[in-house]
Amino acid sequence: EVQLVESGGGLVQPGGSLRLSCAASGFTFSSYAMHWVRQAPGKGLEYVSAISSDGVTTYYANSVKGRFTISRDHSKNMLYLQMGSLRTEDMAVYYCAREKSANTDDAFDIWGQGTMVTVSS
Amino acid sequence: DIVMTQSPDSLAVSLGERATINCKSSQSVLYSSNNKNYLAWYQQKPGQPPKLLIYWASTRESGVPDRFSGSGSGTDFTLTISSLQAEDVAVYYCQHYYSTPLSFGQGTKLEIK
C-alpha cells in the first residue's frame, strides 16, 4: 500500500525547534518530488516547502525561508522538515505529500494524515 | 506568484442538486507546449487530509465518482458535482502546480441545504 506517515509534531515554545519526519512506503521514494503543506486550525491549506526527487532542488515559502530546512534520506525512505525559530503563526497540522507523477510537475495524489505542531509558551 | 481565488466561500445545495465551485488564477496556468492546465481540485473532510479529485483541470482521479467533473482553461476553472450526495459535504480547494510557488485557493465549504 502506498503510504505516507508523519511524526515529530508536538508542543514547542516560541523560538524553539522541531524536526518533522515523513515515512514513505509502497512506492519508489527516490523517484518522486515531495512537499510539505500546512493547515492552521480552522484555516486553509498553505504550501510550505518542496524537494526534488534527487534532493538537489528545494523551495521554501517566504513565511518559512531561513527558518525551515527540507531534506530526504533515500536509504530510509524518509522526508524531513527541520523547523527552527518557531513562531505562534507556525502552529498548524503539517502534511507531507507526493506528486502524482515521477517525471513531471503534477498534483499531489498521496497525503499523510498530518502531524500537529503547537507553538506556545 | 500566482494567486488562486475561489468562489463562493461557502455553498449550500440540496441533496441531488448540482453544486458548482469556481476558481480563478491570477495568471494563466495553461502550459502552451503541452496544452495542459496545471490545475487540481481537492476535497477535505473534517479531521482528514485533502484528497485529490481532479488533475490537469478535468481528469478525474482513479476511484473518484463520476458525479465530480472539472472544466475550464487558462485562468478560469469550475468543479461541478452533478448530483450532491450527503458524503460530499466537505471543503474543496483548487491548486495550481504551474510554477513555484504552488498555491491553493482559500477553500469553499459545501453544505447540505
Side-chain angles (χ1 to χ4, degrees):
Chain A
E1 179 190 5
V2 176
Q3 190 172 241
L4 296 171
V5 178
E6 301 95 338
S7 61
L11 174 63
V12 61
Q13 292 185 339
S17 299
L18 210 56
R19 187 178 83 157
L20 305 184
S21 301
C22 172
S25 59
F27 65 99
T28 305
F29 177 67
S30 59
S31 295
Y32 292 82
M34 298 293 296
H35 304 261
W36 288 97
V37 176
R38 69 184 180 185
Q39 186 169 38
K43 302 297 184 183
L45 302 171
E46 180 187 9
Y47 186 62
V48 174
S49 185
I51 188 166
S52 58
S53 58
D54 61 6
V56 172
T57 304
T58 58
Y59 167 79
Y60 301 94
N62 287 336
S63 57
V64 307
K65 196 174 296 181
R67 302 187 298 121
F68 289 13
T69 302
I70 190 172
S71 62
R72 62 193 299 163
D73 184 336
H74 292 166
S75 68
K76 297 180 180 178
N77 288 345
M78 294 291 291
L79 174 72
Y80 302 103
L81 186 67
Q82 179 68 48
M83 305 187 295
S85 302
L86 282 162
R87 306 168 180 167
T88 55
E89 55 263 37
D90 295 319
M91 186 163 67
V93 174
Y94 283 73
Y95 296 102
C96 59
R98 186 194 83 165
E99 283 188 20
K100 184 173 173 64
S101 171
N103 301 313
T104 186
D105 296 335
D106 212 331
F108 301 166
D109 65 335
I110 305 296
W111 295 68
Q113 285 298 312
T115 188
M116 180 69 201
V117 173
T118 302
V119 184
S120 175
S121 54
Chain B
D1 296 1
I2 299 175
V3 177
M4 309 299 291
T5 304
Q6 293 180 225
S7 61
D9 289 335
S10 63
L11 180 65
V13 175
S14 300
L15 289 173
E17 296 300 306
R18 178 185 300 260
T20 301
I21 299 170
N22 300 301
C23 175
K24 188 175 184 67
S25 58
S26 60
Q27 63 189 74
S28 176
V29 298
L30 174 63
Y31 198 36
S32 57
S33 64
N34 59 11
N35 201 37
K36 286 186 173 182
N37 287 283
Y38 284 56
L39 189 284
W41 289 97
Y42 299 88
Q43 175 194 65
Q44 187 179 33
K45 297 181 179 180
Q48 296 184 18
K51 173 188 174 182
L52 177 64
L53 296 176
I54 303 285
Y55 57 101
W56 302 129
S58 60
T59 302
R60 199 178 303 114
E61 175 72 335
S62 175
V64 173
D66 60 8
R67 64 180 180 272
F68 291 91
S69 64
S71 62
S73 184
T75 61
D76 293 279
F77 301 91
T78 300
L79 174 69
T80 300
I81 307 172
S82 59
S83 176
L84 189 71
Q85 305 299 303
E87 61 264 32
D88 300 334
V89 169
V91 178
Y92 293 83
Y93 296 92
C94 63
Q95 176 214 26
H96 86 84
Y97 45 100
Y98 181 86
S99 62
T100 300
L102 284 64
S103 62
F104 296 88
Q106 79 276 19
T108 295
K109 186 175 184 179
L110 177 59
E111 299 173 314
I112 304 295
K113 185 186 291 184

